[in-house]
Structures are given as C-alpha cells and as structure tokens.
Amino acid sequence: MTWIIVGGSSGLGRALAERFAAAGCELVLLSRDVRDTTPLASHLAIKYAVKVSPVAIDLNCNPLPFAAIDSILEGHLPLKGLLIPAGVNDDSDVVGMGDTTLEYLTRVNYLAPCQLLNHYLPLLEQNSGVIVGFGSVATARGRSRNAAYAAAKSALESYFESLAHHAANSGISCQYYVLGYLDTNLAFAQDLLFPLASVDRIADVVYRRRFSSGRRFLPRPWYILYRAVQFLPWVIFKRLSF
Ligand SMILES: NC(=O)c1ccc[n+]([C@@H]2O[C@H](COP(=O)([O-])OP(=O)(O)OC[C@H]3O[C@@H](n4cnc5c(N)ncnc54)[C@H](OP(=O)(O)O)[C@@H]3O)[C@@H](O)[C@H]2O)c1
C-alpha cells in the first residue's frame, strides 16, 4: 500500500519516510522542490526495495496542484495513508505582522493540510485508510511570538477533532500528535528551554500506532507542561517571554 508524506524532505517527515519504507510501504513524498526528496527516494528504494516518488508541491499555492500528485499515485499501489508533518514558522510571526506572513503561515500550517485531507478522504475511506496530523505545544496558550503559527495549528487541531468525529463511523483511523520540541530545522537556532526529542523515536511511535485513533502528546511529558502553562494565572503568564 502507498502512503503520502506531506513534508517528506526533512525533519520528522524524513524520519517517517525512513520508518514506513523500512516496513515495506510505498511512498509519495511531497515538498516544495525535489532536490532533497529525489536522493532520499533513491536511497529508500535501494535500501528497502520499495517504490518511492518525490513530488514538488508548494503548500502556499492556491489551488493546490492535486493533478500532479494524483497522476503519480496512479503508478503506485492503492493509497493507505496520508501523513501531514509539514509545518512552518517565521521570525516575523508576531502580533501585528503583515498580511503576507499571516496568509502564508495560515495556508501552509492549516488550509493546505485540510485541503489535502478533504481531497483524499473519499479514497482513504474506501481503503480503510489512515490520516495523521501534527500540531505543537505552542498552542497551549496564545503568546506575542508565534501568533499565526499557533493559531493555525490550533485550527488544524480542531479540524482533526472534527475528522475524528466523522471517522468514528467511516472506517478510517485518524491521529493527531501534539509535539514538543524536536531535533530538526524548525527548532534550529531558537532559544529553547527544554531538550529536543528525536524524530526517529517519534516516527517509530507514529508507525506502531498507525491504526489507532485519537490525540496524543509526544514526548508524553510535554502534556504536563502544556497543562501547567494553561493553568498559569494571567498575572504571571503575561510577564513570561518564551
Ligand atoms: N521542530 C520542532 O521543535 C517542532 C515543535 C512542535 C511541533 N512541530 C511540528 O512538527 C512538524 C514537523 O516539524 P519539523 O521540525 O520536522 O519541520 P522541518 O524539519 O522544518 O520540515 C518541514 C517540512 O515541511 C515542508 N514544507 C514547509 N513549507 C512547505 C511548503 N510551503 N510547501 C510544501 N512543503 C513545505 C518542508 O519541505 P521543504 O522545505 O523541502 O519544502 C519539510 O519537509 C511540523 O508540523 C511542526 O509544526 C515541530
């Protein structure tokens, strides 16, 4: 069976590609260009003897070029899963940012993942498939920094909850992972208070739990921190800078 990995060129998406290919899954790897995914696809195809196809797609474009992905899928085994680890943040993502940044962060982190999910939902329902989304502990509470990123990921989480409600009667599995800090580009050069989690370990959990449903925090201790931030009195929270 075939799995689409949206954002399969680096970080968690790359680790998921390695994990699913190792298990014998065919893959379609989406990212803005194919300079990273083409050598990755060749590497995985040789190492695990599976078919892996790179596709260039910019999630910031509207409408999304579904025809390009669909024509690649025609040469693959039936679609079993859609994994959406793609995400982006931006240094200029502070309250009062310009429209271009706001629209870009909203489109890549929320609208495009939902449009992909909507497009492939009927096919995945036919194939008793799997849809997996990825959020962030940044959604615990709105801050002046990462404002649009956190808002988009909160919206994505809500959409995935709606999907889970729908999926309960439709035969698909649907998971949403709220992630703490990862050892990837997205966290690079950021002043972070906590250790970074290995993407290989996260990818392994996602693979092992692929046929379950629900929302989970990874690594799990982040749930405690997430809730603690939510319960902080406003007089303390408003003084924090993180
Ligand atoms: N890193 C962290 O500490 C952290 C913490 C909490 C949550 N998360 C979430 O975890 C997920 C994985 O993060 P990560 O650290 O693995 O990210 P990453 O290493 O920066 O990788 C992001 C992926 O998204 C793709 N992407 C970004 N913008 C795109 C666009 N416009 N069109 C198509 N593809 C695009 C990138 O591909 P190209 O750049 O090649 O196009 C890349 O494959 C994200 O959803 C992120 O929000 C990360």
Side-chain angles (χ1 to χ4, degrees), residues 21-93:
C25 303
E26 293 198 1
L27 302 176
V28 174
L29 305 177
L30 310 186
S31 62
R32 272 170 290 194
D33 68 50
V34 290
R35 275 176 294 184
D36 289 322
T37 48
T38 298
L40 176 62
S42 306
H43 164 76
L44 295 174
I46 292 166
K47 191 170 174 187
Y48 300 114
V50 290
K51 182 169 181 171
V52 183
S53 303
V55 181
I57 164 175
D58 187 350
L59 298 177
N60 193 30
C61 82
N62 186 26
L64 291 173
F66 288 115
I69 313 170
D70 293 344
S71 73
I72 293 286
L73 277 174
E74 280 171 17
H76 274 265
L77 292 171
L79 183 66
K80 186 66 178 177
L82 175 65
L83 311 177
I84 317 179
V88 70
N89 59 19
D90 194 292
D91 287 344
S92 61
D93 180 9

Side-chain angles (χ1 to χ4, degrees), residues 7 9-10 12 32 57-59 85-86 135 149 153 179-180 182 184 186:
S9 63
S10 71
L12 178 59
R32 272 170 290 194
I57 164 175
D58 187 350
L59 298 177
Y149 171 79
K153 287 290 193 184
L179 301 175
L182 308 178
T184 69
L186 214 62

Side-chain angles (χ1 to χ4, degrees), residues 89 91 136-138 143 145-146 149 179-197 222 225 241-242:
N89 59 19
D91 287 344
S136 169
V137 289
R143 297 172 290 131
R145 282 173 50 203
N146 283 339
Y149 171 79
L179 301 175
Y181 297 152
L182 308 178
D183 188 7
T184 69
N185 292 338
L186 214 62
F188 182 72
Q190 290 199 52
D191 193 11
L192 303 174
L193 296 173
F194 300 97
L196 304 176
W222 277 94
L225 201 70
S241 165
F242 62 102

Side-chain angles (χ1 to χ4, degrees), residues 154-167:
S154 293
L156 184 67
E157 184 170 342
S158 175
Y159 201 80
F160 263 82
E161 189 172 19
S162 296
L163 172 67
H165 194 247
H166 169 87

